[in-house]
Amino acid sequence: HPWYYDTKDDAYNILNALKTQGEIVELTLVATSPSGKQMTFSSNDFRYNEAGLETRKISIGGDEYLIRVNTGDTWKSDWAWIQTSQRGKIKADALLSKNLEANDEIYVVGYTFGLSQQQAGSLKPLHSEMSVAQDGLTKGLIKVSGRSFDSGNSGGPAFAVNKNGELVNIGIISSGRQVVGQIVPIDNLR
């Protein structure tokens, strides 16, 4: 739901105003894996917590409209998810996602800065690692230091090693400022 984010883009603001007035707004998305497998779905298939939205007035072409904007309360509403019939090999650990300790290693994969970091005709995720910055959750989020993700990684998976030595998903990448990053724990996705 990109129209819920504070933007200067009038096209998104118009979609936001329509949605705020109760109209149906739908985007069709096509996700392509590195292997080339594709999955098509609708923006309306996603579950999104609208409780973190704040109502504002904006002007578009001299007319005033009400819109709802994400307040940045990332542990509640800076993410959306969809249930599909697809099954993979990635395991999740909700309990671990809330109980990581400072200095535990976190591993992420994603497409930092999108296609600008890819060779023409190729799509390979960037792999990186960083450390948990504080024990447990802070303001509902996993804080990491040595942040090695940026634009293009948002919503991507974050992994840690569990007590059995397995690499498991513990969250999704949310945001960061300089070297500190925030990851939404997988336990929040209920």
Side-chain angles (χ1 to χ4, degrees):
H1 301 112
W3 48 83
Y4 285 144
Y5 292 85
D6 201 5
T7 177
K8 305 297 181 227
D9 186 329
D10 277 349
Y12 279 140
N13 288 333
I14 290 168
L15 292 175
N16 188 316
L18 289 169
K19 183 82 172 165
T20 300
Q21 293 174 27
E23 298 295 330
I24 295 172
V25 175
E26 181 175 19
L27 299 176
T28 300
L29 301 113
V30 178
T32 305
S33 74
S35 68
K37 185 176 180 179
Q38 291 188 335
M39 183 172 61
T40 302
F41 44 92
S42 162
S43 59
N44 293 328
D45 294 334
F46 283 88
R47 296 182 188 171
Y48 179 78
N49 181 0
E50 294 187 8
L53 298 177
E54 173 183 290
T55 302
R56 296 183 185 165
K57 285 184 182 180
I58 63 163
S59 177
I60 303 173
D63 294 319
E64 272 199 2
Y65 297 91
L66 283 178
I67 63 169
R68 295 182 304 155
V69 180
N70 188 298
T71 61
D73 198 351
T74 54
W75 73 275
K76 289 182 182 174
S77 61
D78 188 27
W79 49 273
W81 65 278
I82 183 173
Q83 183 69 48
T84 71
S85 61
Q86 302 297 312
R87 294 290 175 250
K89 297 177 183 178
I90 297 173
K91 294 179 183 178
D93 193 327
L95 183 62
L96 179 62
S97 76
K98 300 185 301 185
N99 296 294
L100 292 163
E101 296 178 4
N103 296 318
D104 283 351
E105 292 298 312
I106 299 289
Y107 307 91
V108 300
V109 292
Y111 300 94
T112 309
F113 301 116
L115 294 176
S116 71
Q117 299 297 308
Q118 303 292 321
Q119 289 185 13
S122 175
L123 187 62
K124 295 179 183 177
L126 299 173
H127 298 253
S128 59
E129 68 182 74
M130 62 216 76
S131 299
V132 173
Q134 298 169 313
D135 291 342
L137 303 178
T138 304
K139 294 187 174 184
L141 297 165
I142 302 164
K143 300 289 184 167
V144 296
S145 58
R147 176 177 71 107
S148 57
F149 58 81
D150 213 311
S151 177
N153 285 96
S154 183
F159 301 92
V161 176
N162 70 11
K163 64 182 176 185
N164 299 327
E166 301 172 302
L167 198 60
V168 293
N169 178 252
I170 50 86
I172 56 175
I173 297 167
S174 177
S175 63
R177 290 187 183 132
Q178 297 182 6
V179 299
V180 177
Q182 301 183 130
I183 296 171
V184 175
I186 201 73
D187 185 62
N188 285 11
L189 305 179
R190 293 184 186 195

